[in-house]
Amino acid sequence: MIKLGVNIDHIATLRQARNGIEPDLLEGAALVEKAGADGITVHLREDRRHIQEKDIFLLKKNIKTRLNLEMAVSEEIVKIALRLKPRNVCIVPEKRQELTTEGGIDVCSGEKRIREVVRRLKNRKIMVSLFIDPELRQVRAAGEAGADCVELHTGAYANVKAGKGRKKELERLRKAGKLTVELGMVLNAGHGLDYRNVIPVAGLPRMNELNIGHSIISRAVMTGLGNAVREMKKLIRKANK
Ligand code: PXP
């Protein structure tokens, strides 16, 4: 069965907005797991804009499923990952100014460093995935770099309007996915997937796992907001009695 990893960075974004303790990341992770998610995904960014170092160690200790750490290949972060030893690592590109991970990592031009990081992580028995655009040359380079797994960037598919363009992007994903499996790597995908566009990607042959964050957290806000207001109203009314 195809698995779902839920990216909970946005819970930490909200918490960091007030430098506070609310919303609690571990409580969020527990709710996600209780609802059936197969894994918890977080991105420890170099600028620490949402997830903090202490979060990943607490998550590793407390979650019941498995931790998938998204990370750049900077030496500081690599050392943290080696200490943390999560079940999965997904290597992503990282730019300071970007809102989110905007494209896949260019394995072709960064192969030497990527290969070295993959080897060090695998030596710690961490399953390593490379987050790449659905290009055959990138899939081949991921295989040559020793990756266990490829996570195909679905951003281009998600950003194009439904119709001809979307079909073309889906076909690119299908071809890249096919080669990934032929080269003996596990096939994952993610980025920009939502409640309207997920089904065709989930239906790609041999898809193992989808990692989804933004749309799930956004849906949670909209489905939870009514209750949150009702709870507050109830408390306020008590003062008027
Ligand atoms: N996979 C990877 C490697 C990512 O970097 C992200 C975004 O942090 C996601 C999946 C989830 O993307 P989204 O938040 O758009 O669902």
Side-chain angles (χ1 to χ4, degrees):
M1 241 256 278
I2 184 158
K3 296 191 264 300
L4 173 67
V6 178
N7 183 312
I8 60 170
D9 292 348
H10 283 344
I11 300 180
T13 302
L14 204 52
R15 179 194 62 189
Q16 296 309 107
R18 289 288 178 96
N19 266 338
I21 50 168
E22 183 182 59
D24 183 80
L25 196 68
L26 290 183
E27 199 181 333
L31 282 170
V32 163
E33 289 184 318
K34 201 169 160 217
D38 303 286
I40 300 293
T41 297
V42 288
H43 184 171
L44 182 68
R45 296 186 73 100
E46 289 180 83
D47 63 10
R48 307 291 198 274
R49 67 171 75 155
H50 38 56
I51 297 294
Q52 308 296 305
E53 202 175 319
K54 73 172 189 313
D55 291 327
I56 57 176
F57 285 90
L58 280 171
L59 283 168
K60 160 105 191 281
K61 202 166 149 214
N62 288 286
I63 65 173
K64 294 191 171 64
T65 55
R66 68 193 148 74
L67 185 61
N68 174 29
L69 180 70
E70 294 175 359
M71 53 171 262
V73 288
S74 85
E75 191 53 28
E76 183 221 358
I77 304 284
V78 172
K79 285 196 173 121
I80 294 170
L82 291 170
R83 264 197 295 127
L84 174 72
K85 202 176 179 284
R87 182 94 66 88
N88 303 84
V89 152
C90 181
I91 295 178
V92 300
E94 199 174 298
K95 292 187 221 112
R96 283 283 157 110
Q97 303 310 327
E98 68 189 359
L99 290 176
T100 178
T101 316
E102 280 161 4
I105 192 162
D106 185 354
V107 192
C108 300
S109 59
E111 197 172 345
K112 193 162 168 256
R113 172 67 178 159
I114 293 168
R115 187 193 289 263
E116 182 215 325
V117 172
V118 169
R119 181 183 47 76
R120 287 163 70 196
L121 293 167
K122 282 175 72 168
N123 282 346
R124 286 283 280 157
K125 306 256 178 306
I126 299 167
M127 183 174 174
V128 185
S129 172
L130 299 182
F131 187 47
I132 58 171
D133 290 329
E135 291 172 14
L136 300 183
R137 67 189 189 102
Q138 295 293 348
V139 177
R140 278 190 213 100
E144 280 157 22
D148 301 297
C149 176
V150 151
E151 179 168 330
L152 294 178
H153 194 304
T154 48
Y157 160 84
N159 287 337
V160 78
K161 276 202 189 118
K164 238 183 174 177
R166 171 136 334 150
K167 266 197 189 139
K168 205 172 130 210
E169 287 302 331
L170 189 64
E171 187 54 19
R172 283 179 74 211
L173 289 164
R174 195 190 60 74
K175 284 188 179 146
K178 184 168 177 280
L179 183 60
T180 297
V181 172
E182 279 168 8
L183 293 177
M185 293 179 284
V186 172
L187 174 64
N188 293 345
H191 210 283
L193 296 177
D194 62 27
Y195 294 83
R196 281 157 298 162
N197 65 23
V198 72
I199 290 177
V201 177
L204 290 174
R206 303 282 297 275
M207 184 58 72
N208 171 63
E209 177 171 287
L210 300 178
N211 279 299
I212 306 180
H214 188 82
S215 72
I216 292 180
I217 303 296
S218 301
R219 178 66 61 103
V221 171
M222 290 308 163
T223 54
L225 200 52
N227 263 345
V229 171
R230 272 186 288 278
E231 271 181 40
M232 189 57 82
K233 272 292 265 196
K234 210 167 144 193
L235 284 175
I236 294 170
R237 258 190 241 118
K238 272 187 188 165
N240 291 338
K241 275 182 189 161

